[in-house]
Amino acid sequence: METENKSLNFLEEIITNDIESGKTKLLITRFPPEPNGYLHIGHAKSICLNFGLAIKFNGKCNLRFDDTNPVKEEDEYVLSIKEDVTWLGFEWSKLCYASDYFDQFYEWAVELIENDKAYVDDQSSDEIRKNRGTLTEAGTDSPFRTRSIKENLDLFERMKNGEFDEGFCVLRAKIDMSSSNLNMRDPVIYRILKREHHRTGNKWCIYPMYDFAHGFEDSIEGITHSICTLEFQDHRPLYDWFIDNVSVPSVPRQYEFARLNLTYTLMSKRKLLELVSNNVVTGWDDPRMPTISGFRARGYTPSSIRRFCNEIGVARTESMVEVEFLHHCIREELNKESNRAMAVLRPLKVIIDNWPDNVVDELSAENNPENPEAGTRKLKIGKTIYIEQTDFMEEPVKGFFRLSPGKEVRLKSAYLITCNDVIKDVNGNVTELHCSADMDSRGGEAPDGRRVKGTLHWVWEGDAIKAKINLYDHLFTLRDMSDMEEGKDYTDYLNPNSHILLEEALVEPGLALAKPLEKFQFLRHGYFCADKTTSQYMPVFNLTVSLKDPWGKKQQKR
RNA sequence: UGGGAUAUGGUGCAAUGGCAGCACACCUGACUCUGGAUCAGGCAAUCUAGGUUCGAAUCCUAGUAUCCCAGCCA
């Protein structure tokens, strides 16, 4: 795995120092997702960071499910998360669940109560909110803040035993209602939730809150460096408070880094869930989704995503990475590794008039010019072929060097042809081209050495097969999805062309045998991978990323 | 208007008191049986104002801008 590095990022520096000073004997990190949705590319950054650090410093990294809220969590998500982490190429040292520690959490909560550092509050959630104060005004103490330790112990036990309804009371840490850090204003640490938990079933009807649980989870697992995102910076004093006020087995430290933002991409689990439940996309693994499973279906490789995560770096500055950089990472890999194939997405019939009837020629084409070891394949050609509609212009614009009346082009790995005649339907649409081939140009080289600039991909009518092609583009039209206009939401920015299905595509016959997720470069188009539903009866391919296309870009600008 | 953070080319990341560098993107050109790839070149940045210093992106002071925080979510 690619671990070599030029300069250390701020976390690597901290860890290096901690190891050199002897503070850290063995680095232990963790990736702690809540199983309430599928993982996305932002999580991939965190995964690569935490697992990558463990690899780099010969440490360990746990996969831990932060499942403290049964209302939102499901086993389906646990399964998908394990699959995605594994697919990305990482192995966890231990598989953990916060819910495995519920008994211990309960004991620590009791310890806090015994030390007069927690109390049961009977205020409603509205009252708690009102009494929390505001950003500029201190909060006010709960009338229940001075309850005796004995009473609190009794009440908390009765909470656990299910004697109270949801919302009737909560357990709060007794810290400081006038703290300028709102997280320290007696945070709620246990709430009553009479819900079945995906792992503990109905054993519990009280569940710990994130702030209370997270540091303890880290401590139990001996996590040395607990890495999370920037929005938790304000929680760090609270994280430390719990660790300092309870007899924990180890003292972890929290460090924060900036989460990944990508242009034209939504990275909120909640909104991604909405896209799925509202059928805006076909599922969490829709190739347009920024989920890891979406990228997998789209044809991205684990190493391309790791490479992306490693190269964007880690810092504490909020930033927005251009999605083009991700495209670059996958292109770079697929260019070297994927075999080439010819696929005509929008076919235009071409009849080679001087080609003898019923004669078929068999040619050889290289599978990957970047890798001679990929070998060659046989291609057959006959009198009638198909080329791309966009490769013909009756009245060529300046700079167009593909086919037009009187012009000569090369059919890739085959022959040079010249367009002689254009057939149109009653509406004036071009339906058929008549060309003549230079029969001495077999293989694509002119016998007299004349230069032919244009090279087109093609398929032969005799053996081409029909295929469905899914073209994809970004789901949203807004570069920075955190910068929406007043009163608009993300549904106002959905890209109507994010998915285009082409059902009349013709592809070379070998593609019938493509295996699900097998990757190809369709010559002059881009990288495609076979859909999970592909079959020899109906091959289906998904666009991973298009080839760079200076000509297309130039045309768009006109 | 309380608290916590962050400011380096269009974008992301370096430079840890000593020539501001790398990648992506963009623009040229070369080459090419993929308008791909490759190769060569180019454009382009230290938030502002003071100060310390022989020397400041880096240290100090004062501003400015942006982000996060008032869930019984994580």
Side-chain angles (χ1 to χ4, degrees):
Chain A
M1 204 160 293
E2 50 292 304
T3 50
E4 89 291 346
N5 230 341
K6 352 70 189 147
S7 54
L8 299 182
N9 64 45
F10 77 100
L11 289 167
E12 294 167 334
E13 252 172 49
I14 289 168
I15 293 167
T16 302
N17 290 337
D18 287 347
I19 289 175
E20 281 175 1
S21 75
K23 182 180 172 191
T24 300
K25 310 271 183 302
L26 173 68
L27 174 72
I28 308 182
T29 57
R30 102 266 93 115
F31 172 63
E34 183 188 12
N36 66 344
Y38 279 57
L39 261 26
H40 55 59
I41 184 86
H43 294 110
K45 177 179 178 181
S46 175
I47 292 168
C48 291
L49 218 204
N50 279 293
F51 282 91
L53 250 16
I55 291 168
K56 178 162 186 160
F57 291 94
N58 293 312
K60 297 181 173 185
C61 182
N62 295 343
L63 171 60
R64 180 175 69 226
F65 291 98
D66 211 346
D67 54 352
T68 57
N69 183 359
V71 177
K72 301 201 273 184
E73 295 151 7
E74 294 174 22
D75 268 335
E76 178 199 347
Y77 299 132
V78 170
L79 248 27
S80 74
I81 289 168
K82 287 199 252 182
E83 184 183 2
D84 288 347
V85 171
T86 302
W87 180 77
L88 273 177
F90 296 104
E91 279 178 45
W92 47 85
S93 179
K94 285 186 194 161
L95 181 63
C96 309
Y97 295 84
S99 51
D100 284 345
Y101 315 138
F102 281 173
D103 288 292
Q104 178 65 260
F105 292 164
Y106 182 80
E107 281 176 36
W108 280 332
V110 169
E111 184 180 338
L112 281 177
I113 296 171
E114 284 169 342
N115 293 322
D116 198 24
K117 286 173 180 163
Y119 62 97
V120 174
D121 193 346
D122 295 356
Q123 293 182 105
S124 68
S125 56
D126 272 354
E127 288 167 326
I128 288 181
R129 178 165 14 91
K130 280 188 196 114
N131 290 335
R132 186 151 29 222
T134 67
L135 294 177
T136 51
E137 300 162 65
T140 48
D141 286 2
S142 163
F144 303 96
R145 200 175 199 263
T146 50
R147 283 220 255 235
S148 70
I149 291 173
K150 190 165 175 256
E151 187 184 4
N152 280 320
L153 249 15
D154 174 60
L155 255 17
F156 186 48
E157 182 165 3
R158 289 168 63 191
M159 277 173 69
K160 184 192 73 169
N161 293 340
E163 293 183 30
F164 308 119
D165 288 339
E166 280 188 20
F168 183 79
C169 57
V170 292
L171 184 69
R172 290 229 256 169
K174 191 185 284 189
I175 306 180
D176 178 7
M177 287 306 290
S178 63
S179 172
S180 52
N181 181 344
L182 304 221
N183 295 121
M184 302 299 274
R185 319 242 263 229
D186 289 10
V188 172
I189 58 183
Y190 261 97
R191 77 285 213 192
I192 299 168
L193 248 28
K194 300 196 167 171
R195 300 289 283 260
E196 184 170 321
H197 186 277
H198 74 115
R199 298 191 79 240
T200 60
N202 293 308
K203 177 179 177 187
W204 296 90
C205 60
I206 56 172
Y207 292 91
M209 299 286 288
Y210 168 87
D211 284 310
F212 173 80
H214 204 90
F216 292 154
E217 296 162 22
D218 288 336
S219 178
I220 290 169
E221 293 171 24
I223 303 301
T224 54
H225 299 254
S226 178
I227 300 166
C228 62
T229 43
L230 250 27
E231 67 270 27
F232 291 100
Q233 281 175 129
D234 287 346
H235 296 241
R236 190 176 351 120
L238 183 52
Y239 181 100
D240 291 337
W241 188 90
F242 286 119
I243 294 291
D244 291 344
N245 284 283
V246 167
S247 47
V248 295
S250 77
V251 179
R253 287 296 169 215
Q254 175 181 303
Y255 300 92
E256 310 87 12
F257 72 99
R259 65 174 344 119
L260 170 66
N261 296 296
L262 256 192
T263 55
Y264 301 103
T265 306
L266 219 45
M267 210 79 87
S268 138
K269 259 191 193 175
R270 201 197 89 234
K271 288 171 186 164
L272 294 180
L273 174 60
E274 282 178 25
L275 292 175
V276 173
S277 15
N278 296 338
N279 296 313
V280 175
V281 294
T282 59
W284 285 98
D285 64 348
D286 185 301
R288 293 167 296 176
M289 289 284 273
T291 51
I292 294 176
S293 51
F295 282 114
R296 181 161 60 233
R298 184 80 177 256
Y300 277 70
T301 58
S303 56
S304 67
I305 291 177
R306 290 199 302 267
R307 178 200 188 90
F308 171 76
C309 292
N310 289 334
E311 293 200 5
I312 55 175
V314 180
R316 276 174 293 203
T317 317
E318 289 262 20
S319 60
M320 171 78 64
V321 175
E322 293 178 330
V323 73
E324 286 76 11
F325 185 62
L326 219 206
H327 295 163
H328 161 78
C329 291
I330 184 64
R331 274 196 198 107
E332 183 132 292
E333 191 164 305
L334 261 18
N335 174 49
K336 294 190 184 92
E337 294 178 7
S338 60
N339 282 345
R340 274 56 174 170
M342 294 205 277
V344 177
L345 270 34
R346 298 174 178 89
L348 171 61
K349 189 178 216 173
V350 173
I351 296 164
I352 305 172
D353 292 319
N354 63 331
W355 191 281
D357 293 343
N358 303 321
V359 167
V360 175
D361 191 7
E362 191 174 70
L363 306 150
S364 171
E366 57 187 348
N367 286 326
N368 184 353
E370 301 290 321
N371 175 20
E373 286 178 21
T376 59
R377 67 189 186 286
K378 302 287 185 203
L379 285 177
K380 289 179 184 165
I381 190 168
K383 189 178 181 73
T384 304
I385 61 166
Y386 291 90
I387 66 169
E388 208 68 59
Q389 286 173 19
T390 50
D391 281 341
F392 175 78
M393 276 183 105
E394 190 171 17
E395 291 168 29
V397 296
K398 187 167 176 289
F400 184 82
F401 52 76
R402 302 174 186 177
L403 198 59
S404 52
K407 286 283 175 49
E408 182 176 46
V409 295
R410 174 169 31 243
L411 298 176
K412 176 75 179 175
S413 304
Y415 290 84
L416 300 176
I417 60 168
T418 301
C419 176
N420 302 320
D421 206 3
V422 182
I423 311 291
K424 298 180 192 175
D425 63 16
V426 287
N427 300 315
N429 298 316
V430 176
T431 56
E432 196 174 300
L433 261 27
H434 284 265
C435 295
S436 54
D438 177 343
M439 299 307 286
D440 295 326
S441 65
R442 184 172 191 275
E445 217 66 67
D448 59 1
R450 66 181 183 277
R451 316 291 290 176
V452 175
K453 194 163 168 67
T455 300
L456 311 186
H457 59 280
W458 54 275
V459 292
W460 174 45
E461 183 183 51
D463 66 0
I465 55 173
K466 252 195 183 183
K468 287 188 182 174
I469 310 268
N470 291 298
L471 298 182
Y472 296 109
D473 196 356
H474 32 69
L475 248 187
F476 298 98
T477 54
L478 187 63
R479 180 185 143 89
D480 179 355
M481 287 300 284
S482 68
D483 191 31
M484 293 182 275
E485 270 178 64
E486 271 294 314
K488 292 198 171 180
D489 69 16
Y490 66 90
T491 58
D492 294 312
Y493 296 94
L494 281 166
N495 176 8
N497 298 317
S498 63
H499 175 214
I500 294 171
L501 172 60
L502 302 175
E503 302 190 79
E504 304 297 326
L506 292 171
V507 303
E508 61 174 81
L511 256 16
L513 271 23
K515 309 257 184 315
L517 291 188
E518 192 174 349
K519 295 156 179 65
F520 301 91
Q521 184 199 95
F522 287 174
L523 234 50
R524 302 208 300 134
H525 282 301
Y527 300 97
F528 288 76
C529 81
D531 189 79
K532 59 187 175 191
T533 66
T534 198
S535 74
Q536 67 182 112
Y537 307 106
M538 182 40 74
V540 183
F541 297 94
N542 301 332
L543 174 66
T544 304
V545 65
S546 62
L547 247 26
K548 284 176 121 186
D549 179 18
W551 171 248
K553 190 179 284 181
K554 208 170 169 183
Q555 293 307 291
Q556 270 189 354
K557 283 184 191 161
R558 285 160 55 91

